[in-house]
Amino acid sequence: MKLVELVPNFSNGRDKAVVGLLEKCVESIPSAKLLDSEMDYDHNRSVITVVCPISDVVGLAFDLIKTAAENIDMDVQKGLHPRFGSTDVMPLVPLEDTSMEDCVKLSHEIGKKVGNELKIPVFMYANSALDPKRKNLENIRNKKFQIEELRKAIGMGDYVPDYGPSKIGKAGATIMGARDLLIAYNIYLNSDDIQAGRKIASAIRARDGGFAYVKSLAFRIPGNNLVQISMNIVNYRKNPVYRIFEAVRSEAAGYGISIVKSEFIGMVPRDAIVDTINHYLMSDIENKNILDFKAGKI
Amino acid sequence: MKLVELVPNFSNGRDKAVVGLLEKCVESIPSAKLLDSEMDYDHNRSVITVVCPISDVVGLAFDLIKTAAENIDMDVQKGLHPRFGSTDVMPLVPLEDTSMEDCVKLSHEIGKKVGNELKIPVFMYANSALDPKRKNLENIRNKKFQIEELRKAIGMGDYVPDYGPSKIGKAGATIMGARDLLIAYNIYLNSDDIQAGRKIASAIRARDGGFAYVKSLAFRIPGNNLVQISMNIVNYRKNPVYRIFEAVRSEAAGYGISIVKSEFIGMVPRDAIVDTINHYLMSDIENKNILDFKAGKI
């Protein structure tokens, strides 16, 4: 079946009523399934995860962006997280029989409709980028270049939107694109040695010669004296989770440091879990052998 | 939701048309889902795994037993596996919000209906046993006491059926009962030392003082010179898979033996997999965080 995952990020992580309206957009489409909904107060940002058949993606994405535009006013919005607009980023992820090309097409259809009908400037990123510089989200919008800077720069140089007007209204601008399913994964080390942490993060990440599909950074977690290795695994089939975990364990051991815990942020694809269990148990479970129910009341 | 897993064992593992008729019984109930269907030629036995809402269990189980009775003639059936009847064993397993008590009740309802309407003798086992000696399937039907022996013994001493006539027809007798969700799990060792294998199996099983919910036996696998530790984990929440795997690894290492591979037979409950990955990755994934889809075509 052709399915798409939508992981829109909205610039309101404080008002449950607003997030409720966004969730209602999902509920109003019977074929769409809300998998996750998270609000972050400090960042003032919420992220919802939805899966729906490819035929309903344009309608749902448009509804969400319209609802966010009507209910999140970027003229007054403040928060820790960098942002461009009420719907800040709208990634589309191909699942099951959907191809990346399908999602790229959909993203442009949505972008065009949002630009034309809602008069919101849209920047296409990731696999949908028309300008190669826009492939990386960080090149478009970052801590130093947010809606405040965009208001002045829009329409000029690197800031001509792909769709919609070169003018920022209350809804700000939206960044839209198709990307791979990624796993956001953090490993915590029993050390506050951020230098060692940085070397470990460097050893495993693509840009320094590590795993080709791993992005990573080291952070010192205040309060509990731990170092966090924060990762995005952008292709978990080529760089499986257990391999990254074992590589971090080995690198850390070189500094006399060990792993305290690890955590997944958001959803974890089931086949990534099956890979990992098969590695550790030397087994060969297939997806179809997993019983999607738990034992009853005994 | 109140769900029940049915894992009926039928005495035909050779004729696809017959198994097809049994699968059709499942397909004819929209709420029922066929999860697995396996045929074993040598054993001349097939096992299907179905999940359905509690309200449809009696109808489905009765249909299956009736269809098997009409299509599997125990007067001529032969095979390696011990058997009593065309539907040899019909276990009911409580899932999700269903209790063991619910399944015990259902099993008696089905047993009574099968005895009365199909005139098939029914023996209640496991948690549904009325006679404590019938709790263990092996005490009712085993290699030395099969349909041939039952024909003479039925109605006498330990062989008075719980439901139905004391008379064996072409459908033989059926063993029915409610049991826990179990994991059938095998570990293979790189050794043909069956003595060591037996000691390892003994070390981990309940009856010799090992894990309270593990049954195990050692087998020498002809052809490839491996020893197999064959296990049933009858409560995977109290005796999680990774703990059993690590215990076998440690015991085997004491004989200079290591694990070659492990395998699950049939379905593996998802929460058992989540437990295992959380152990090895020191993580805290919850069932709800698992994305039940795989990445699309990239």
Side-chain angles (χ1 to χ4, degrees), chain A residues 35 94 96 98 100 236 259 261-262 267-268 270-271 281-283 289 291 293-297, chain B residues 3 35 94 96 98 100 236 259 261-262 267-268 270-271 281-283 289 291 293-297:
Chain A
L35 298 180
E96 301 287 339
T98 303
M100 183 56 77
Y236 63 87
I259 293 174
K261 65 169 180 168
S262 78
M267 305 297 289
V268 192
R270 189 156 82 164
D271 51 348
L281 297 185
M282 306 166 79
S283 57
N289 298 121
L291 181 70
F293 306 100
K294 59 180 203 294
K297 298 174 187 168
Chain B
L3 295 173
L35 298 181
E96 301 288 339
T98 305
M100 183 57 76
Y236 63 88
I259 293 175
K261 65 169 180 168
S262 77
M267 306 297 289
V268 192
R270 190 155 82 165
D271 51 350
L281 297 185
M282 306 166 79
S283 57
N289 298 122
L291 181 70
F293 307 101
K294 59 180 203 297
K297 297 173 186 170

mmCIF file of all heavy atoms in Angstrom, chain A residues 35 94 96 98 100 236 259 261-262 267-268 270-271 281-283 289 291 293-297, chain B residues 3 35 94 96 98 100 236 259 261-262 267-268 270-271 281-283 289 291 293-297:
data_model
loop_
_atom_site.group_PDB
_atom_site.id
_atom_site.type_symbol
_atom_site.label_atom_id
_atom_site.label_comp_id
_atom_site.label_asym_id
_atom_site.label_seq_id
_atom_site.Cartn_x
_atom_site.Cartn_y
_atom_site.Cartn_z
ATOM 1 N N LEU A 35 -0.165 9.069 15.017
ATOM 2 C CA LEU A 35 0.665 8.136 15.763
ATOM 3 C C LEU A 35 1.266 8.773 17.005
ATOM 4 O O LEU A 35 1.514 8.108 17.995
ATOM 5 C CB LEU A 35 1.819 7.631 14.880
ATOM 6 C CG LEU A 35 1.413 6.858 13.635
ATOM 7 C CD1 LEU A 35 2.654 6.426 12.879
ATOM 8 C CD2 LEU A 35 0.580 5.640 14.008
ATOM 9 N N PRO A 94 8.292 8.790 2.591
ATOM 10 C CA PRO A 94 7.681 7.639 1.911
ATOM 11 C C PRO A 94 7.722 6.381 2.782
ATOM 12 O O PRO A 94 8.766 6.049 3.342
ATOM 13 C CB PRO A 94 8.561 7.454 0.664
ATOM 14 C CG PRO A 94 9.871 8.088 0.996
ATOM 15 C CD PRO A 94 9.584 9.172 1.996
ATOM 16 N N GLU A 96 6.319 2.115 3.028
ATOM 17 C CA GLU A 96 5.825 0.937 2.299
ATOM 18 C C GLU A 96 6.027 1.080 0.784
ATOM 19 O O GLU A 96 7.144 1.218 0.348
ATOM 20 C CB GLU A 96 4.343 0.681 2.667
ATOM 21 C CG GLU A 96 4.133 0.455 4.168
ATOM 22 C CD GLU A 96 4.636 -0.888 4.656
ATOM 23 O OE1 GLU A 96 4.783 -1.814 3.861
ATOM 24 O OE2 GLU A 96 4.879 -1.023 5.879
ATOM 25 N N THR A 98 5.345 3.513 -1.271
ATOM 26 C CA THR A 98 5.518 4.874 -1.799
ATOM 27 C C THR A 98 6.998 5.111 -2.113
ATOM 28 O O THR A 98 7.866 4.655 -1.373
ATOM 29 C CB THR A 98 5.043 5.894 -0.742
ATOM 30 O OG1 THR A 98 3.690 5.594 -0.409
ATOM 31 C CG2 THR A 98 5.118 7.321 -1.271
ATOM 32 N N MET A 100 10.301 7.813 -3.029
ATOM 33 C CA MET A 100 10.744 9.170 -2.724
ATOM 34 C C MET A 100 10.215 10.136 -3.784
ATOM 35 O O MET A 100 9.783 11.251 -3.466
ATOM 36 C CB MET A 100 12.273 9.189 -2.666
ATOM 37 C CG MET A 100 12.866 10.518 -2.285
ATOM 38 S SD MET A 100 12.250 11.141 -0.704
ATOM 39 C CE MET A 100 13.197 10.120 0.425
ATOM 40 N N TYR A 236 18.535 3.704 8.238
ATOM 41 C CA TYR A 236 18.772 2.681 9.272
ATOM 42 C C TYR A 236 18.942 1.298 8.667
ATOM 43 O O TYR A 236 19.323 0.364 9.345
ATOM 44 C CB TYR A 236 17.631 2.665 10.288
ATOM 45 C CG TYR A 236 16.293 2.299 9.702
ATOM 46 C CD1 TYR A 236 15.897 0.969 9.591
ATOM 47 C CD2 TYR A 236 15.417 3.280 9.258
ATOM 48 C CE1 TYR A 236 14.670 0.639 9.039
ATOM 49 C CE2 TYR A 236 14.195 2.953 8.711
ATOM 50 C CZ TYR A 236 13.830 1.634 8.604
ATOM 51 O OH TYR A 236 12.617 1.283 8.061
ATOM 52 N N ILE A 259 28.404 3.335 28.513
ATOM 53 C CA ILE A 259 27.068 3.820 28.186
ATOM 54 C C ILE A 259 26.149 3.651 29.392
ATOM 55 O O ILE A 259 26.171 2.612 30.053
ATOM 56 C CB ILE A 259 26.505 3.044 26.969
ATOM 57 C CG1 ILE A 259 27.318 3.384 25.707
ATOM 58 C CG2 ILE A 259 25.022 3.335 26.762
ATOM 59 C CD1 ILE A 259 26.940 2.567 24.480
ATOM 60 N N LYS A 261 22.637 4.790 29.165
ATOM 61 C CA LYS A 261 21.333 4.468 28.588
ATOM 62 C C LYS A 261 21.274 5.016 27.173
ATOM 63 O O LYS A 261 22.117 5.839 26.782
ATOM 64 C CB LYS A 261 20.180 5.034 29.431
ATOM 65 C CG LYS A 261 20.147 6.551 29.483
ATOM 66 C CD LYS A 261 18.848 7.071 30.104
ATOM 67 C CE LYS A 261 18.854 8.598 30.141
ATOM 68 N NZ LYS A 261 17.570 9.206 30.460
ATOM 69 N N SER A 262 20.279 4.570 26.426
ATOM 70 C CA SER A 262 20.049 5.183 25.127
ATOM 71 C C SER A 262 18.566 5.469 24.992
ATOM 72 O O SER A 262 17.750 4.925 25.749
ATOM 73 C CB SER A 262 20.552 4.285 23.991
ATOM 74 O OG SER A 262 19.674 3.229 23.713
ATOM 75 N N MET A 267 9.071 8.022 16.710
ATOM 76 C CA MET A 267 8.733 6.657 16.325
ATOM 77 C C MET A 267 9.968 5.882 15.842
ATOM 78 O O MET A 267 10.859 6.431 15.211
ATOM 79 C CB MET A 267 7.705 6.680 15.198
ATOM 80 C CG MET A 267 6.438 7.476 15.494
ATOM 81 S SD MET A 267 5.460 6.813 16.864
ATOM 82 C CE MET A 267 4.800 5.312 16.130
ATOM 83 N N VAL A 268 9.977 4.587 16.134
ATOM 84 C CA VAL A 268 11.050 3.704 15.666
ATOM 85 C C VAL A 268 10.441 2.693 14.696
ATOM 86 O O VAL A 268 9.512 1.975 15.067
ATOM 87 C CB VAL A 268 11.671 2.923 16.844
ATOM 88 C CG1 VAL A 268 12.954 2.250 16.404
ATOM 89 C CG2 VAL A 268 11.909 3.820 18.039
ATOM 90 N N ARG A 270 9.527 -0.573 12.795
ATOM 91 C CA ARG A 270 9.561 -1.935 13.311
ATOM 92 C C ARG A 270 10.691 -2.760 12.710
ATOM 93 O O ARG A 270 11.288 -3.578 13.395
ATOM 94 C CB ARG A 270 8.214 -2.603 13.053
ATOM 95 C CG ARG A 270 8.108 -3.912 13.745
ATOM 96 C CD ARG A 270 6.677 -4.267 13.963
ATOM 97 N NE ARG A 270 6.099 -4.850 12.780
ATOM 98 C CZ ARG A 270 4.966 -5.526 12.788
ATOM 99 N NH1 ARG A 270 4.304 -5.685 13.916
ATOM 100 N NH2 ARG A 270 4.483 -6.020 11.696
ATOM 101 N N ASP A 271 11.024 -2.545 11.443
ATOM 102 C CA ASP A 271 12.093 -3.375 10.875
ATOM 103 C C ASP A 271 13.467 -3.021 11.442
ATOM 104 O O ASP A 271 14.366 -3.860 11.459
ATOM 105 C CB ASP A 271 12.073 -3.423 9.341
ATOM 106 C CG ASP A 271 12.027 -2.063 8.680
ATOM 107 O OD1 ASP A 271 11.780 -1.076 9.392
ATOM 108 O OD2 ASP A 271 12.231 -1.991 7.467
ATOM 109 N N LEU A 281 20.305 -11.692 19.314
ATOM 110 C CA LEU A 281 19.890 -13.079 19.606
ATOM 111 C C LEU A 281 20.348 -14.038 18.505
ATOM 112 O O LEU A 281 20.015 -15.216 18.551
ATOM 113 C CB LEU A 281 18.369 -13.163 19.780
ATOM 114 C CG LEU A 281 17.778 -12.380 20.942
ATOM 115 C CD1 LEU A 281 16.281 -12.658 21.047
ATOM 116 C CD2 LEU A 281 18.464 -12.731 22.269
ATOM 117 N N MET A 282 21.079 -13.555 17.522
ATOM 118 C CA MET A 282 21.543 -14.406 16.419
ATOM 119 C C MET A 282 20.355 -15.168 15.825
ATOM 120 O O MET A 282 20.431 -16.359 15.542
ATOM 121 C CB MET A 282 22.605 -15.389 16.948
ATOM 122 C CG MET A 282 23.745 -14.657 17.662
ATOM 123 S SD MET A 282 24.808 -15.724 18.642
ATOM 124 C CE MET A 282 25.835 -16.429 17.379
ATOM 125 N N SER A 283 19.263 -14.434 15.673
ATOM 126 C CA SER A 283 18.025 -15.062 15.211
ATOM 127 C C SER A 283 17.638 -14.535 13.842
ATOM 128 O O SER A 283 18.390 -13.763 13.221
ATOM 129 C CB SER A 283 16.906 -14.800 16.225
ATOM 130 O OG SER A 283 16.723 -13.412 16.433
ATOM 131 N N ASN A 289 6.432 -12.407 11.543
ATOM 132 C CA ASN A 289 6.334 -13.326 12.676
ATOM 133 C C ASN A 289 6.021 -12.621 13.986
ATOM 134 O O ASN A 289 5.950 -13.250 15.034
ATOM 135 C CB ASN A 289 7.639 -14.100 12.852
ATOM 136 C CG ASN A 289 7.953 -14.965 11.653
ATOM 137 O OD1 ASN A 289 8.988 -14.814 11.035
ATOM 138 N ND2 ASN A 289 7.030 -15.834 11.299
ATOM 139 N N LEU A 291 3.770 -10.903 16.599
ATOM 140 C CA LEU A 291 2.377 -10.839 17.017
ATOM 141 C C LEU A 291 2.123 -9.459 17.598
ATOM 142 O O LEU A 291 2.740 -9.065 18.582
ATOM 143 C CB LEU A 291 2.118 -11.917 18.079
ATOM 144 C CG LEU A 291 0.698 -12.019 18.617
ATOM 145 C CD1 LEU A 291 -0.238 -12.567 17.548
ATOM 146 C CD2 LEU A 291 0.663 -12.910 19.846
ATOM 147 N N PHE A 293 0.093 -8.118 19.414
ATOM 148 C CA PHE A 293 -0.777 -8.034 20.582
ATOM 149 C C PHE A 293 0.029 -8.494 21.777
ATOM 150 O O PHE A 293 1.009 -9.207 21.629
ATOM 151 C CB PHE A 293 -1.989 -8.949 20.412
ATOM 152 C CG PHE A 293 -2.741 -8.709 19.140
ATOM 153 C CD1 PHE A 293 -2.562 -9.540 18.051
ATOM 154 C CD2 PHE A 293 -3.595 -7.626 19.024
ATOM 155 C CE1 PHE A 293 -3.242 -9.317 16.859
ATOM 156 C CE2 PHE A 293 -4.266 -7.388 17.836
ATOM 157 C CZ PHE A 293 -4.098 -8.237 16.758
ATOM 158 N N LYS A 294 -0.420 -8.098 22.952
ATOM 159 C CA LYS A 294 0.275 -8.604 24.127
ATOM 160 C C LYS A 294 -0.594 -9.658 24.817
ATOM 161 O O LYS A 294 -1.801 -9.745 24.566
ATOM 162 C CB LYS A 294 0.647 -7.470 25.066
ATOM 163 C CG LYS A 294 -0.509 -6.642 25.592
ATOM 164 C CD LYS A 294 0.070 -5.561 26.507
ATOM 165 C CE LYS A 294 -0.961 -5.047 27.490
ATOM 166 N NZ LYS A 294 -2.069 -4.321 26.854
ATOM 167 N N ALA A 295 0.057 -10.441 25.654
ATOM 168 C CA ALA A 295 -0.659 -11.486 26.377
ATOM 169 C C ALA A 295 -1.774 -10.855 27.204
ATOM 170 O O ALA A 295 -1.661 -9.719 27.667
ATOM 171 C CB ALA A 295 0.310 -12.249 27.269
ATOM 172 N N GLY A 296 -2.871 -11.598 27.372
ATOM 173 C CA GLY A 296 -4.015 -11.090 28.110
ATOM 174 C C GLY A 296 -3.779 -11.064 29.613
ATOM 175 O O GLY A 296 -2.649 -11.191 30.082
ATOM 176 N N LYS A 297 -4.852 -10.883 30.341
ATOM 177 C CA LYS A 297 -4.760 -10.796 31.807
ATOM 178 C C LYS A 297 -4.704 -12.205 32.388
ATOM 179 O O LYS A 297 -5.656 -12.967 32.259
ATOM 180 C CB LYS A 297 -5.977 -10.052 32.345
ATOM 181 C CG LYS A 297 -6.061 -8.637 31.831
ATOM 182 C CD LYS A 297 -7.369 -7.995 32.282
ATOM 183 C CE LYS A 297 -7.552 -6.639 31.636
ATOM 184 N NZ LYS A 297 -8.923 -6.130 31.828
ATOM 185 N N LEU B 3 -9.487 -9.766 22.788
ATOM 186 C CA LEU B 3 -9.081 -10.591 21.657
ATOM 187 C C LEU B 3 -8.630 -11.957 22.140
ATOM 188 O O LEU B 3 -8.158 -12.106 23.271
ATOM 189 C CB LEU B 3 -7.921 -9.924 20.907
ATOM 190 C CG LEU B 3 -8.213 -8.596 20.220
ATOM 191 C CD1 LEU B 3 -6.925 -7.989 19.680
ATOM 192 C CD2 LEU B 3 -9.224 -8.788 19.082
ATOM 193 N N LEU B 35 -2.963 -15.169 10.984
ATOM 194 C CA LEU B 35 -1.606 -14.642 11.130
ATOM 195 C C LEU B 35 -0.563 -15.584 10.552
ATOM 196 O O LEU B 35 0.485 -15.153 10.083
ATOM 197 C CB LEU B 35 -1.287 -14.419 12.609
ATOM 198 C CG LEU B 35 -2.163 -13.417 13.337
ATOM 199 C CD1 LEU B 35 -1.706 -13.292 14.788
ATOM 200 C CD2 LEU B 35 -2.089 -12.046 12.670
ATOM 201 N N PRO B 94 -5.613 -16.003 25.758
ATOM 202 C CA PRO B 94 -6.125 -14.645 26.002
ATOM 203 C C PRO B 94 -5.111 -13.579 25.556
ATOM 204 O O PRO B 94 -3.930 -13.655 25.906
ATOM 205 C CB PRO B 94 -6.308 -14.593 27.524
ATOM 206 C CG PRO B 94 -5.406 -15.648 28.074
ATOM 207 C CD PRO B 94 -5.261 -16.698 27.004
ATOM 208 N N GLU B 96 -4.544 -9.156 24.997
ATOM 209 C CA GLU B 96 -5.002 -7.802 25.335
ATOM 210 C C GLU B 96 -5.936 -7.812 26.556
ATOM 211 O O GLU B 96 -5.521 -8.231 27.612
ATOM 212 C CB GLU B 96 -5.669 -7.149 24.117
ATOM 213 C CG GLU B 96 -4.726 -7.042 22.908
ATOM 214 C CD GLU B 96 -3.629 -6.004 23.057
ATOM 215 O OE1 GLU B 96 -3.773 -5.093 23.871
ATOM 216 O OE2 GLU B 96 -2.598 -6.112 22.349
ATOM 217 N N THR B 98 -8.549 -9.625 27.277
ATOM 218 C CA THR B 98 -9.205 -10.896 27.594
ATOM 219 C C THR B 98 -8.497 -11.542 28.784
ATOM 220 O O THR B 98 -7.277 -11.487 28.885
ATOM 221 C CB THR B 98 -9.134 -11.836 26.374
ATOM 222 O OG1 THR B 98 -9.702 -11.167 25.250
ATOM 223 C CG2 THR B 98 -9.867 -13.132 26.625
ATOM 224 N N MET B 100 -7.768 -15.023 31.320
ATOM 225 C CA MET B 100 -7.689 -16.472 31.219
ATOM 226 C C MET B 100 -9.068 -17.087 31.514
ATOM 227 O O MET B 100 -9.489 -18.033 30.862
ATOM 228 C CB MET B 100 -6.642 -16.983 32.210
ATOM 229 C CG MET B 100 -6.411 -18.465 32.171
ATOM 230 S SD MET B 100 -5.922 -19.049 30.531
ATOM 231 C CE MET B 100 -4.216 -18.506 30.495
ATOM 232 N N TYR B 236 6.661 -15.059 29.190
ATOM 233 C CA TYR B 236 7.829 -14.299 28.725
ATOM 234 C C TYR B 236 7.968 -12.979 29.468
ATOM 235 O O TYR B 236 8.981 -12.292 29.330
ATOM 236 C CB TYR B 236 7.751 -14.062 27.208
ATOM 237 C CG TYR B 236 6.567 -13.234 26.780
ATOM 238 C CD1 TYR B 236 6.643 -11.847 26.739
ATOM 239 C CD2 TYR B 236 5.359 -13.823 26.434
ATOM 240 C CE1 TYR B 236 5.556 -11.074 26.362
ATOM 241 C CE2 TYR B 236 4.263 -13.063 26.050
ATOM 242 C CZ TYR B 236 4.370 -11.693 26.020
ATOM 243 O OH TYR B 236 3.295 -10.930 25.659
ATOM 244 N N ILE B 259 27.044 -20.284 21.043
ATOM 245 C CA ILE B 259 25.771 -20.286 20.328
ATOM 246 C C ILE B 259 26.016 -19.998 18.845
ATOM 247 O O ILE B 259 26.783 -19.097 18.509
ATOM 248 C CB ILE B 259 24.816 -19.231 20.933
ATOM 249 C CG1 ILE B 259 24.416 -19.653 22.360
ATOM 250 C CG2 ILE B 259 23.577 -19.036 20.048
ATOM 251 C CD1 ILE B 259 23.579 -18.617 23.100
ATOM 252 N N LYS B 261 23.154 -19.962 16.517
ATOM 253 C CA LYS B 261 21.991 -19.168 16.118
ATOM 254 C C LYS B 261 20.831 -19.497 17.037
ATOM 255 O O LYS B 261 20.887 -20.474 17.791
ATOM 256 C CB LYS B 261 21.607 -19.460 14.656
ATOM 257 C CG LYS B 261 21.141 -20.880 14.405
ATOM 258 C CD LYS B 261 20.511 -21.046 13.013
ATOM 259 C CE LYS B 261 20.056 -22.500 12.808
ATOM 260 N NZ LYS B 261 19.211 -22.688 11.635
ATOM 261 N N SER B 262 19.790 -18.667 16.993
ATOM 262 C CA SER B 262 18.569 -19.021 17.712
ATOM 263 C C SER B 262 17.397 -18.807 16.779
ATOM 264 O O SER B 262 17.521 -18.132 15.744
ATOM 265 C CB SER B 262 18.428 -18.195 18.995
ATOM 266 O OG SER B 262 17.983 -16.884 18.738
ATOM 267 N N MET B 267 4.668 -17.284 16.127
ATOM 268 C CA MET B 267 4.606 -15.846 16.356
ATOM 269 C C MET B 267 5.360 -15.433 17.626
ATOM 270 O O MET B 267 5.361 -16.148 18.617
ATOM 271 C CB MET B 267 3.150 -15.400 16.479
ATOM 272 C CG MET B 267 2.246 -15.792 15.317
ATOM 273 S SD MET B 267 2.729 -15.055 13.734
ATOM 274 C CE MET B 267 2.281 -13.334 14.006
ATOM 275 N N VAL B 268 5.939 -14.239 17.585
ATOM 276 C CA VAL B 268 6.626 -13.674 18.751
ATOM 277 C C VAL B 268 5.879 -12.408 19.179
ATOM 278 O O VAL B 268 5.722 -11.496 18.373
ATOM 279 C CB VAL B 268 8.074 -13.274 18.411
ATOM 280 C CG1 VAL B 268 8.850 -12.984 19.678
ATOM 281 C CG2 VAL B 268 8.754 -14.336 17.582
ATOM 282 N N ARG B 270 4.995 -8.818 20.356
ATOM 283 C CA ARG B 270 5.773 -7.602 20.176
ATOM 284 C C ARG B 270 6.384 -7.099 21.479
ATOM 285 O O ARG B 270 7.504 -6.596 21.482
ATOM 286 C CB ARG B 270 4.894 -6.518 19.562
ATOM 287 C CG ARG B 270 5.694 -5.333 19.149
ATOM 288 C CD ARG B 270 5.004 -4.581 18.066
ATOM 289 N NE ARG B 270 3.989 -3.700 18.612
ATOM 290 C CZ ARG B 270 3.433 -2.727 17.910
ATOM 291 N NH1 ARG B 270 3.753 -2.565 16.653
ATOM 292 N NH2 ARG B 270 2.533 -1.966 18.441
ATOM 293 N N ASP B 271 5.677 -7.252 22.592
ATOM 294 C CA ASP B 271 6.272 -6.723 23.829
ATOM 295 C C ASP B 271 7.478 -7.546 24.280
ATOM 296 O O ASP B 271 8.350 -7.034 24.981
ATOM 297 C CB ASP B 271 5.248 -6.483 24.948
ATOM 298 C CG ASP B 271 4.364 -7.665 25.228
ATOM 299 O OD1 ASP B 271 4.384 -8.629 24.443
ATOM 300 O OD2 ASP B 271 3.654 -7.646 26.243
ATOM 301 N N LEU B 281 20.050 -2.448 24.196
ATOM 302 C CA LEU B 281 20.393 -1.048 23.876
ATOM 303 C C LEU B 281 20.255 -0.133 25.094
ATOM 304 O O LEU B 281 20.427 1.074 24.972
ATOM 305 C CB LEU B 281 19.510 -0.526 22.732
ATOM 306 C CG LEU B 281 19.650 -1.227 21.385
ATOM 307 C CD1 LEU B 281 18.798 -0.526 20.337
ATOM 308 C CD2 LEU B 281 21.108 -1.264 20.924
ATOM 309 N N MET B 282 19.937 -0.708 26.261
ATOM 310 C CA MET B 282 19.775 0.080 27.482
ATOM 311 C C MET B 282 18.801 1.227 27.208
ATOM 312 O O MET B 282 19.027 2.366 27.629
ATOM 313 C CB MET B 282 21.151 0.607 27.929
ATOM 314 C CG MET B 282 22.169 -0.516 28.061
ATOM 315 S SD MET B 282 23.877 0.030 28.179
ATOM 316 C CE MET B 282 23.974 0.542 29.879
ATOM 317 N N SER B 283 17.748 0.905 26.496
ATOM 318 C CA SER B 283 16.794 1.935 26.079
ATOM 319 C C SER B 283 15.445 1.713 26.754
ATOM 320 O O SER B 283 15.299 0.829 27.604
ATOM 321 C CB SER B 283 16.644 1.896 24.546
ATOM 322 O OG SER B 283 16.235 0.616 24.103
ATOM 323 N N ASN B 289 5.672 3.467 20.636
ATOM 324 C CA ASN B 289 6.657 4.216 19.853
ATOM 325 C C ASN B 289 7.113 3.479 18.606
ATOM 326 O O ASN B 289 7.966 3.952 17.879
ATOM 327 C CB ASN B 289 7.891 4.531 20.702
ATOM 328 C CG ASN B 289 7.559 5.398 21.884
ATOM 329 O OD1 ASN B 289 7.797 5.037 23.017
ATOM 330 N ND2 ASN B 289 6.941 6.536 21.616
ATOM 331 N N LEU B 291 6.831 2.222 14.970
ATOM 332 C CA LEU B 291 6.154 2.539 13.718
ATOM 333 C C LEU B 291 5.942 1.240 12.951
ATOM 334 O O LEU B 291 6.903 0.555 12.615
ATOM 335 C CB LEU B 291 7.030 3.500 12.907
ATOM 336 C CG LEU B 291 6.456 3.965 11.562
ATOM 337 C CD1 LEU B 291 5.279 4.899 11.771
ATOM 338 C CD2 LEU B 291 7.545 4.677 10.756
ATOM 339 N N PHE B 293 5.371 0.400 10.083
ATOM 340 C CA PHE B 293 5.552 0.451 8.632
ATOM 341 C C PHE B 293 7.034 0.474 8.366
ATOM 342 O O PHE B 293 7.817 0.875 9.210
ATOM 343 C CB PHE B 293 4.902 1.718 8.058
ATOM 344 C CG PHE B 293 3.472 1.878 8.455
ATOM 345 C CD1 PHE B 293 3.126 2.750 9.479
ATOM 346 C CD2 PHE B 293 2.480 1.136 7.841
ATOM 347 C CE1 PHE B 293 1.803 2.889 9.864
ATOM 348 C CE2 PHE B 293 1.162 1.267 8.231
ATOM 349 C CZ PHE B 293 0.824 2.151 9.233
ATOM 350 N N LYS B 294 7.398 0.084 7.181
ATOM 351 C CA LYS B 294 8.821 0.185 6.839
ATOM 352 C C LYS B 294 9.027 1.353 5.886
ATOM 353 O O LYS B 294 8.071 1.856 5.275
ATOM 354 C CB LYS B 294 9.332 -1.125 6.247
ATOM 355 C CG LYS B 294 8.637 -1.604 4.993
ATOM 356 C CD LYS B 294 9.291 -2.920 4.571
ATOM 357 C CE LYS B 294 9.091 -3.214 3.100
ATOM 358 N NZ LYS B 294 7.683 -3.400 2.706
ATOM 359 N N ALA B 295 10.277 1.798 5.790
ATOM 360 C CA ALA B 295 10.597 2.914 4.915
ATOM 361 C C ALA B 295 10.204 2.560 3.486
ATOM 362 O O ALA B 295 10.222 1.401 3.089
ATOM 363 C CB ALA B 295 12.089 3.227 5.005
ATOM 364 N N GLY B 296 9.819 3.584 2.716
ATOM 365 C CA GLY B 296 9.384 3.366 1.336
ATOM 366 C C GLY B 296 10.540 3.079 0.398
ATOM 367 O O GLY B 296 11.659 2.794 0.833
ATOM 368 N N LYS B 297 10.250 3.143 -0.882
ATOM 369 C CA LYS B 297 11.269 2.851 -1.902
ATOM 370 C C LYS B 297 12.155 4.071 -2.103
ATOM 371 O O LYS B 297 11.664 5.109 -2.530
ATOM 372 C CB LYS B 297 10.579 2.473 -3.210
ATOM 373 C CG LYS B 297 9.748 1.208 -3.085
ATOM 374 C CD LYS B 297 8.947 0.975 -4.343
ATOM 375 C CE LYS B 297 7.993 -0.191 -4.185
ATOM 376 N NZ LYS B 297 7.063 -0.267 -5.317
#
